[in-house]
Amino acid sequence: MQNLVRRYQGEPVEIMGRDGRIYRGVIDGDPPPGGMFIRTGFGRRRFIPFFLIAALFLLRFRRRRIF
């Protein structure tokens, strides 16, 4: 998963958590062990642990499932 996060670093993404919540933002910074940071529209950084991620969508051209 860390390789996937590094590959799409700086890209807009949509992350769906296992509980159904949707997180939108840009992948930010080096991924720490066990998770990733996304920067939301308000300039906040949010840590998303890998065990919480159910699906990760890249939002460049169309919604494309990559995990």
Side-chain angles (χ1 to χ4, degrees), residues 41-53:
F42 299 108
R44 292 182 43 198
R45 280 178 62 173
R46 180 179 295 263
F47 179 75
I48 309 288
F50 289 143
F51 71 85
L52 181 69
I53 298 172

Side-chain angles (χ1 to χ4, degrees), residues 24-65:
R24 290 180 185 89
V26 176
I27 297 176
D28 188 34
D30 266 347
M36 62 187 263
F37 283 106
I38 64 168
R39 185 167 300 276
T40 62
F42 299 108
R44 292 182 43 198
R45 280 178 62 173
R46 180 179 295 263
F47 179 75
I48 309 288
F50 289 143
F51 71 85
L52 181 69
I53 298 172
L56 180 67
F57 299 94
L58 186 63
L59 296 176
R60 279 197 298 196
F61 301 109
R62 62 174 191 224
R63 290 188 185 187
R64 183 176 60 168
R65 188 175 180 153

Side-chain angles (χ1 to χ4, degrees), residues 2-49:
Q2 280 188 327
N3 291 336
L4 185 66
V5 170
R6 282 197 177 112
R7 189 163 105 195
Y8 293 108
Q9 187 173 359
E11 298 288 335
V13 293
E14 184 175 89
I15 300 168
M16 182 173 58
R18 292 180 190 226
D19 59 354
R21 291 194 67 192
I22 302 286
Y23 303 95
R24 290 180 185 89
V26 176
I27 297 176
D28 188 34
D30 266 347
M36 62 187 263
F37 283 106
I38 64 168
R39 185 167 300 276
T40 62
F42 299 108
R44 292 182 43 198
R45 280 178 62 173
R46 180 179 295 263
F47 179 75
I48 309 288

